[in-house]
Coordinates of all heavy atoms in Angstrom, one line a residue:
Chain B
L212 N 150.7 -56.3 197.4 CA 149.9 -56.8 198.6 C 148.5 -56.6 198.3 O 148.0 -55.6 197.7 CB 150.3 -56.0 199.9 CG 151.7 -56.1 200.4 CD1 151.9 -55.3 201.6 CD2 152.0 -57.6 200.7
R213 N 147.7 -57.6 198.8 CA 146.2 -57.4 198.7 C 145.6 -58.0 200.0 O 145.9 -59.2 200.3 CB 145.7 -58.2 197.5 CG 144.2 -57.9 197.3 CD 143.5 -59.1 196.7 NE 144.0 -59.4 195.3 CZ 143.7 -60.5 194.7 NH1 142.9 -61.4 195.2 NH2 144.2 -60.7 193.5
K214 N 144.9 -57.3 200.7 CA 144.2 -57.7 201.9 C 145.2 -58.4 202.8 O 145.0 -59.5 203.4 CB 143.1 -58.6 201.6 CG 141.9 -57.9 201.0 CD 140.7 -58.7 200.8 CE 139.6 -57.9 200.3 NZ 138.5 -58.7 199.7
G215 N 146.4 -57.8 203.0 CA 147.4 -58.3 203.9 C 148.2 -59.5 203.4 O 149.1 -60.0 204.2
R216 N 148.0 -59.9 202.2 CA 148.7 -61.1 201.7 C 149.7 -60.6 200.6 O 149.4 -59.7 199.8 CB 147.8 -62.1 201.1 CG 146.9 -62.8 202.1 CD 146.8 -64.3 201.7 NE 146.0 -64.9 202.7 CZ 144.6 -64.9 202.6 NH1 144.0 -64.4 201.6 NH2 143.9 -65.5 203.5
N217 N 150.8 -61.3 200.5 CA 151.8 -61.1 199.4 C 151.3 -61.8 198.2 O 151.2 -63.0 198.2 CB 153.1 -61.6 199.8 CG 154.2 -61.3 198.8 OD1 153.8 -61.0 197.6 ND2 155.4 -61.4 199.1
M218 N 150.9 -61.1 197.1 CA 150.4 -61.7 195.9 C 151.5 -62.0 194.9 O 151.2 -62.7 193.9 CB 149.4 -60.7 195.3 CG 148.2 -60.3 196.1 SD 147.4 -61.7 197.0 CE 146.7 -62.5 195.5
G219 N 152.7 -61.6 195.2 CA 153.8 -62.0 194.4 C 154.8 -60.9 194.2 O 154.4 -59.7 194.4
T220 N 156.0 -61.2 193.9 CA 157.0 -60.2 193.6 C 157.5 -60.3 192.2 O 157.8 -61.4 191.7 CB 158.2 -60.4 194.6 OG1 157.8 -60.3 195.9 CG2 159.3 -59.4 194.3
L221 N 157.4 -59.2 191.5 CA 157.8 -59.3 190.0 C 159.0 -58.5 189.8 O 159.3 -57.5 190.4 CB 156.6 -58.6 189.2 CG 155.2 -59.2 189.3 CD1 154.3 -58.5 188.4 CD2 155.2 -60.7 189.1
T222 N 159.8 -58.9 188.8 CA 161.0 -58.1 188.4 C 160.5 -57.2 187.3 O 159.4 -57.3 186.8 CB 162.1 -59.0 187.8 OG1 161.6 -59.7 186.7 CG2 162.6 -60.0 188.8
R223 N 161.4 -56.3 187.0 CA 161.1 -55.3 186.0 C 160.6 -55.9 184.7 O 159.6 -55.4 184.1 CB 162.4 -54.4 185.7 CG 162.1 -53.3 184.8 CD 162.9 -52.1 185.1 NE 162.3 -51.0 184.4 CZ 161.4 -50.2 184.9 NH1 161.1 -50.3 186.2 NH2 160.8 -49.3 184.2
E224 N 161.2 -57.0 184.3 CA 160.8 -57.6 183.0 C 159.4 -58.2 183.1 O 158.7 -58.3 182.1 CB 161.8 -58.7 182.6 CG 163.2 -58.2 182.3 CD 164.0 -57.8 183.6 OE1 163.9 -58.5 184.6 OE2 164.7 -56.7 183.5
E225 N 159.1 -58.6 184.3 CA 157.8 -59.3 184.4 C 156.6 -58.4 184.5 O 155.4 -58.8 184.4 CB 157.8 -60.3 185.6 CG 158.7 -61.4 185.5 CD 159.0 -62.1 186.8 OE1 159.0 -61.4 187.9 OE2 159.2 -63.3 186.9
M226 N 156.9 -57.1 184.8 CA 155.8 -56.2 185.1 C 155.1 -55.7 183.8 O 155.6 -55.3 182.9 CB 156.4 -54.9 185.7 CG 156.8 -54.9 187.1 SD 157.4 -53.3 187.5 CE 158.8 -53.7 188.6
T227 N 153.8 -55.9 183.9 CA 152.9 -55.3 182.9 C 151.7 -54.7 183.7 O 151.4 -55.1 184.8 CB 152.3 -56.3 181.8 OG1 151.6 -57.2 182.5 CG2 153.5 -56.9 181.1
I228 N 151.1 -53.7 183.1 CA 149.9 -53.1 183.7 C 148.9 -54.1 184.0 O 148.3 -54.2 185.1 CB 149.3 -52.0 182.8 CG1 150.3 -50.8 182.7 CG2 148.0 -51.6 183.3 CD1 150.1 -49.7 183.7
D229 N 148.6 -55.0 183.1 CA 147.6 -56.0 183.2 C 147.9 -56.9 184.4 O 147.1 -57.2 185.2 CB 147.4 -56.8 182.0 CG 146.7 -56.0 180.9 OD1 146.2 -55.0 181.2 OD2 146.8 -56.4 179.7
K230 N 149.2 -57.4 184.4 CA 149.6 -58.3 185.4 C 149.5 -57.7 186.8 O 148.9 -58.3 187.7 CB 151.0 -58.7 185.2 CG 151.6 -59.8 186.0 CD 151.3 -61.2 185.4 CE 151.3 -62.3 186.5 NZ 152.5 -62.9 186.8
L231 N 149.9 -56.5 187.0 CA 149.9 -55.8 188.2 C 148.4 -55.6 188.7 O 148.1 -55.7 189.9 CB 150.7 -54.5 188.2 CG 152.2 -54.6 188.1 CD1 152.8 -53.2 187.9 CD2 152.7 -55.3 189.3
T232 N 147.6 -55.1 187.8 CA 146.2 -54.9 188.1 C 145.6 -56.2 188.6 O 144.8 -56.2 189.6 CB 145.4 -54.4 186.8 OG1 146.2 -53.5 186.2 CG2 144.1 -53.9 187.2
E233 N 145.9 -57.3 187.9 CA 145.3 -58.6 188.3 C 145.7 -58.9 189.7 O 144.9 -59.4 190.5 CB 145.8 -59.6 187.3 CG 145.0 -60.9 187.4 CD 145.7 -61.9 186.5 OE1 146.0 -61.6 185.3 OE2 145.8 -63.0 187.0
L234 N 147.0 -58.7 190.1 CA 147.5 -59.0 191.4 C 146.9 -58.1 192.5 O 146.6 -58.5 193.6 CB 149.0 -58.9 191.5 CG 149.8 -60.0 190.7 CD1 151.3 -59.7 190.8 CD2 149.5 -61.4 191.2
M235 N 146.7 -56.8 192.1 CA 146.4 -55.8 193.0 C 144.9 -55.9 193.4 O 144.5 -55.7 194.6 CB 146.6 -54.5 192.4 CG 146.9 -53.4 193.4 SD 147.3 -51.9 192.4 CE 146.7 -50.7 193.5
F236 N 144.0 -56.2 192.5 CA 142.6 -56.3 192.7 C 142.1 -57.7 192.6 O 142.5 -58.5 191.8 CB 141.8 -55.4 191.8 CG 142.3 -54.0 191.8 CD1 143.1 -53.5 190.7 CD2 142.0 -53.1 192.8 CE1 143.5 -52.2 190.7 CE2 142.5 -51.8 192.8 CZ 143.2 -51.3 191.8
S237 N 141.1 -58.0 193.4 CA 140.6 -59.4 193.4 C 139.8 -59.6 192.1 O 139.8 -60.7 191.6 CB 139.7 -59.6 194.6 OG 138.9 -58.5 194.8
R238 N 139.2 -58.5 191.6 CA 138.6 -58.7 190.3 C 139.1 -57.6 189.4 O 139.6 -56.5 189.9 CB 137.1 -58.6 190.5 CG 136.7 -57.3 191.2 CD 135.3 -57.2 191.6 NE 135.1 -56.0 192.3 CZ 135.4 -55.8 193.6 NH1 135.9 -56.7 194.3 NH2 135.2 -54.6 194.2
K239 N 139.0 -57.8 188.1 CA 139.5 -56.7 187.2 C 138.5 -55.6 187.3 O 137.3 -55.8 187.1 CB 139.6 -57.3 185.8 CG 140.8 -58.2 185.7 CD 141.2 -58.3 184.2 CE 142.5 -59.2 184.2 NZ 143.0 -59.4 182.8
I240 N 138.9 -54.4 187.6 CA 138.0 -53.3 187.6 C 138.4 -52.3 186.4 O 139.5 -52.2 186.1 CB 137.9 -52.5 188.9 CG1 139.3 -52.1 189.3 CG2 137.3 -53.3 190.0 CD1 139.3 -50.8 190.1

Side-chain angles (χ1 to χ4, degrees):
Chain B
L212 294 179
R213 187 210 300 167
K214 289 187 176 163
R216 292 219 181 85
N217 183 344
M218 304 308 294
T220 299
L221 304 183
T222 62
R223 184 144 197 96
E224 294 72 43
E225 295 165 327
M226 283 181 216
T227 61
I228 292 269
D229 287 345
K230 186 88 205 270
L231 288 175
T232 314
E233 196 188 312
L234 290 176
M235 206 174 148
F236 303 107
S237 42
R238 55 191 179 277
K239 288 200 178 182
I240 54 151

